[in-house]
Amino acid sequence: MARPKQAIINDLMSELDKFGGHITQIRDAIQSKGVSSEGKLFKFAEEINRIEPASTYGYILDAVKGAYSKGYSDSEIVGIINNLANKNQPPQPQPGPNPAPTFDAATATEILPKQFYGKSELEGELSCPNVVKVGAEAFIGTDYNIVKLPKATDIDKDAFRYSNIKVLYIPNFVWKDGNLDLGNSNYPKYMLNKIIVADESVPPSDIGIYKVDFEVYNHDETKKWDIYSNVWKPV
């Protein structure tokens, strides 16, 4: 059975009343954002498009949306924000590079590898009464004329290579079996003029071939190594 026309009209009027209430709410909401439409729908639409975001954080929300599009999760974005540095605090001074340790010849017990590498300004005599260990290439490029290391026993083979040392005093070091390079890779093989080593030393047998004026003495210089017969002889 069809509904009476009056009932249908009543329903329509009720819906229109509801719609009017919705329109009023929409109007109030839009006007609160600064819209004052002239009443034309097309004008209303244009004005809506020109509305600036009400929140000053709108661009931040856009950035968050961009982060989502790059695959970041909520927890990752929050973590990045929470770990930002506090710009309200003055910047803290950053530590600079560690300064090179000062070498004290009087107290040092070790000469590190490349300790004096390339320091041609180092001249004259160096005396280190307590050094027991000398690292590789420690004296390369130096112009020390005399080096005295009375307690040195642990000396790298290349410690004095490419140096200009003329007198080397290492009376506790046992020189043998090619364990000390005193020249360069080619010539001259022996750049020293004089060396003092431990009594147990057996200097290389080729000294007489490469440097006939090279003097090799035992610890207290009471014996000299005969570079031709390869034996110690009293001085």
Side-chain angles (χ1 to χ4, degrees), residues 111-117 134-140 142 158-160:
I111 297 176
L112 298 174
K114 296 187 176 182
Q115 179 83 60
F116 310 117
Y117 189 96
V134 185
E137 302 181 341
F139 288 87
I140 284 184
T142 62
D158 294 326
F160 306 108

Side-chain angles (χ1 to χ4, degrees), residues 166-177:
K166 299 306 177 185
V167 179
L168 180 59
Y169 186 81
I170 47 175
N172 277 297
F173 179 76
V174 178
W175 182 25
K176 61 182 179 181
D177 301 325

